[in-house]
Amino acid sequence: MADVILEIHFHSRGPWHQQLEDACRGLAEEIAQAPGLKWKIWTENRDTRLAGGIYLFANEADAEDFLLTHRKRLEALGVTEFESHLYEVNEQLSLITRAPL
């Protein structure tokens, strides 16, 4: 079974950088407990007003379950529109290019 990447991005008015760290520390700790989650990279681009993350899950079922849970969490925060994509990881090629698998 291959690892799965989940990508989620949405429009945001902020907060950014240190303020985002301060505001989302508890959320990060909660996300870290998600079943099957190996890691998350938090992404933000103040210029394009996009925020979100790239997640690595052990399997597709855990990634899909997380997406359903996270959708509700985002909606509760006022984020009603976002993009999400699931990708299977090609482990052998990714290891050649130093992916942290």
Side-chain angles (χ1 to χ4, degrees), residues 63-75:
E64 289 177 348
D65 288 346
F66 176 83
L67 181 57
L68 291 174
T69 300
H70 202 51
R71 176 185 311 265
K72 293 175 187 172
R73 184 183 291 131
L74 290 172
E75 288 172 351

Side-chain angles (χ1 to χ4, degrees), residues 67-87:
L67 181 57
L68 291 174
T69 300
H70 202 51
R71 176 185 311 265
K72 293 175 187 172
R73 184 183 291 131
L74 290 172
E75 288 172 351
L77 295 172
V79 177
T80 58
E81 294 183 32
F82 65 90
E83 281 192 40
S84 64
H85 304 279
L86 289 169
Y87 305 95

Side-chain angles (χ1 to χ4, degrees), residues 14 20 24 29 32 34 40 42 48 56 59 61 69 71-72 76 96-97 99-100:
L20 181 64
C24 291
E29 292 169 356
K40 174 186 178 179
W42 291 67
T48 61
L56 181 66
N59 58 68
T69 300
R71 176 185 311 265
K72 293 175 187 172
I96 291 169
T97 56

Side-chain angles (χ1 to χ4, degrees), residues 30-71:
E30 183 179 333
I31 288 172
Q33 301 306 311
L37 179 68
K38 293 186 173 187
W39 50 254
K40 174 186 178 179
I41 296 174
W42 291 67
T43 58
E44 57 182 286
N45 186 321
R46 189 177 193 153
D47 293 337
T48 61
R49 301 270 206 222
L50 289 173
I54 309 293
Y55 307 74
L56 181 66
F57 282 90
N59 58 68
E60 188 172 349
D62 285 338
E64 289 177 348
D65 288 346
F66 176 83
L67 181 57
L68 291 174
T69 300
H70 202 51
R71 176 185 311 265

Side-chain angles (χ1 to χ4, degrees), residues 10-37:
F10 53 89
H11 290 280
S12 175
R13 289 178 270 154
W16 307 104
H17 308 299
Q18 185 62 48
Q19 291 174 333
L20 181 64
E21 290 176 35
D22 295 342
C24 291
R25 188 167 309 280
L27 176 58
E29 292 169 356
E30 183 179 333
I31 288 172
Q33 301 306 311
L37 179 68

